[in-house]
Amino acid sequence: MNRVSQRLENGKLAIITGFDGACPFSATGVSVLPDDSFEVRPSWRKSPGISEEAPGCGNRFSIKVENSDNTHKVFRCFINWEDHTQKRLNLHDWACVLFPGAGEAWQIFPTQLRPSGANLEISLPPGITHIAMSPYYSYGMCVEYLKSKAEKPGAKYFSIGSSQETREIPALILQPASSTKQIQDIMIMARNHAYESAGNFCCEGMIDFLTSTIFRAKELRKKYRFHFLPMTNPDGVHNGMCRLTAPQGADLNRCREQDDDAWRSIKNYLDEVKPELFINIHNWLYKDTDGLLGNSREFTEKFAQLMPDMYHEGKHWYKEWIELFLEKQNLESVSDKTRSWKDYVLDNFNATAACLEFPWFGRSCQRMREIGRQSLTTFIDVCDLIN
């Protein structure tokens, strides 16, 4: 019988769960197997899950492993995704590893796929190593970062509301510098889906750029009021969910009415600001494909021209706009089930909007910040061209 404890130890190695953003969040999702290797079940939930919170359907994995010895120890683990249909298993043939003292220099290690899961074997130095599906970015990290920017000229940190578990949904506004030009509101949103940490690093890249002394940044601050919502799903992020706010919670990338406090906070803030421009940042797991989902063919194609396929990183754009989506699905209109916030802001405020997908494979945290800055300036350049 497998042994389970709150802090699961096996000799000099111990798996740590329960921290902000751990997945599985409880040691109940971790076991020591008869051969003294570990088993981790990322789909563990405190209650039965739906959508990507159901066994075999998730993409999130985040544990810490402590080596209490004074020499390297081999860590062997079966990451049991419980994917018996193997519909997603090919997305899990790698893991991100952050060794002690490495800052944010995550490294990619291959895993060996097996029926329903993947084996990971790695030599760990003394100390605590973080192993995850994507580089780690917690709710607490987001709040700390945004508060650090609140002292910048024209910056304001606040909360747009609370989640079901009463966590504040943090926001940062960058007010325009004095200008005689008409001011436009642009909203940048991320982390609708709990596992998609790329959006946080992209937002950091945008904010670092806009609060710098770079001439282009100062010019943009004269023309636009920037609204950043980098952590729209604080409960899901904190509690180790994959896509939803809870095991049977809300999908915050869907604008249909949902009985969820975070969803209501997002909608209320959108209705208050009525942004003319809107960006929502995600990261799927496809290794070689970035996602560019616009509201019109003209916008999408011009964006791809100004920010071409990143072939040097092994990436190409998957491009889609509303008419193309409807043609592919043989539909006459976007259904309530699939309508997202970019559809909402178009329908209600005639906003120019895009959903961007930037997968982590082969990219560093700093590179993701650079992609964020590049995508923001490209988005604005395209809007200037077509509006």
Side-chain angles (χ1 to χ4, degrees):
M1 182 175 181
N2 295 339
R3 307 189 304 274
V4 179
S5 64
Q6 183 59 38
R7 172 189 168 87
L8 196 142
E9 299 184 5
N10 185 21
K12 295 292 185 177
L13 295 177
I15 289 183
I16 302 169
T17 64
F19 55 89
D20 181 3
C23 179
F25 194 76
S26 169
T28 305
V30 184
S31 306
V32 176
L33 298 176
D35 66 355
D36 283 334
S37 66
F38 290 92
E39 179 183 49
V40 179
R41 295 176 295 283
S43 294
W44 177 90
R45 300 289 181 262
K46 60 184 177 182
S47 59
I50 61 172
S51 182
E52 290 184 20
E53 312 315 325
C57 298
N59 294 317
R60 193 171 186 187
F61 166 55
S62 183
I63 61 171
K64 295 178 181 179
V65 183
E66 182 175 14
N67 175 9
S68 59
D69 204 349
N70 56 8
T71 62
H72 277 65
K73 302 289 289 185
V74 174
F75 172 71
R76 293 183 299 121
C77 177
F78 176 52
I79 307 168
N80 186 358
W81 292 98
E82 302 177 77
D83 184 7
H84 303 295
T85 64
Q86 300 190 1
K87 289 184 178 180
R88 298 170 183 254
L89 201 56
N90 65 326
L91 299 175
H92 298 140
D93 62 351
W94 56 285
C96 291
V97 178
L98 184 67
F99 292 112
E104 58 178 27
W106 291 83
Q107 299 181 42
I108 290 177
F109 282 78
T111 64
Q112 182 180 5
L113 295 181
R114 286 178 48 193
S116 81
N119 281 331
L120 174 66
E121 183 172 319
I122 186 171
S123 178
L124 301 184
I128 296 177
T129 297
H130 200 151
I131 304 174
M133 199 65 233
S134 301
Y136 176 71
Y137 199 104
S138 68
Y139 172 68
M141 290 170 64
C142 183
V143 171
E144 182 180 2
Y145 172 79
L146 295 181
K147 285 183 175 179
S148 76
K149 295 298 180 179
E151 298 179 358
K152 296 288 185 178
K156 177 186 177 183
Y157 169 84
F158 66 106
S159 170
I160 66 167
S162 298
S163 67
Q164 290 291 107
E165 296 185 2
T166 69
R167 293 184 180 87
E168 292 189 347
I169 301 172
L172 186 77
I173 290 183
L174 299 179
Q175 300 282 0
S178 58
S179 174
T180 57
K181 297 179 181 179
Q182 182 178 358
I183 302 302
Q184 289 186 295
D185 287 283
I186 176 170
M187 188 177 295
I188 300 96
M189 183 185 296
R191 217 66 186 268
N192 288 168
H193 297 149
Y195 83 94
E196 297 175 355
S197 62
N200 290 117
F201 289 94
C202 286
C203 284
E204 281 198 4
M206 296 176 183
I207 295 169
D208 289 346
F209 164 69
L210 291 169
T211 56
S212 72
T213 58
I214 297 172
F215 177 77
R216 178 79 195 281
K218 292 190 289 186
E219 290 300 301
L220 292 177
R221 290 285 302 276
K222 294 178 182 178
K223 185 176 179 182
Y224 299 98
R225 182 182 297 106
F226 294 89
H227 304 256
F228 285 93
L229 305 180
M231 183 64 64
T232 53
N233 186 357
D235 289 352
V237 170
H238 177 84
N239 292 323
M241 298 298 107
C242 182
R243 184 181 181 92
L244 307 182
T245 58
Q248 298 188 45
D251 184 338
L252 297 184
N253 190 41
R254 296 292 176 254
C255 61
R256 67 182 185 276
E257 183 75 29
Q258 298 184 75
D259 185 17
D260 182 87
D261 288 345
W263 183 90
R264 282 185 285 269
S265 297
I266 295 169
K267 181 181 181 299
N268 289 342
Y269 193 64
L270 280 167
D271 291 342
E272 175 187 337
V273 174
K274 298 179 174 61
E276 291 99 329
L277 308 174
F278 177 83
I279 303 172
N280 200 344
I281 309 173
H282 294 253
N283 71 258
W284 52 33
L285 291 184
Y286 305 120
K287 295 186 185 72
D288 61 355
T289 310
D290 291 319
L292 173 52
L293 314 176
N295 277 337
S296 73
R297 178 172 183 171
E298 180 186 19
F299 170 88
T300 307
E301 291 187 340
K302 287 189 180 300
F303 192 105
Q305 290 173 0
L306 295 182
M307 188 172 172
D309 297 270
M310 288 178 265
Y311 288 126
H312 62 291
E313 296 178 358
K315 306 291 190 292
H316 67 274
W317 283 118
Y318 169 83
K319 293 176 285 186
E320 190 173 271
W321 49 91
I322 293 176
E323 294 82 4
L324 182 59
F325 171 79
L326 295 176
E327 180 182 332
K328 288 180 177 180
Q329 301 296 322
N330 195 26
L331 298 171
E332 294 184 359
S333 62
V334 181
S335 68
D336 287 342
K337 184 178 180 180
T338 58
R339 289 178 75 246
S340 68
W341 294 118
K342 75 178 181 65
D343 302 303
Y344 184 85
V345 296
L346 173 65
D347 295 342
N348 291 276
F349 317 126
N350 197 32
T352 302
C355 178
L356 303 174
E357 300 267 5
F358 295 120
W360 272 110
F361 189 81
R363 286 168 167 160
S364 67
C365 298
Q366 185 55 33
R367 176 57 184 147
M368 201 62 82
R369 292 186 183 98
E370 294 167 358
I371 290 172
R373 177 202 57 76
Q374 185 181 3
S375 60
L376 176 66
T377 55
T378 299
F379 181 89
I380 291 173
D381 287 343
V382 173
C383 292
D384 287 342
L385 287 172
I386 67 177
N387 294 332

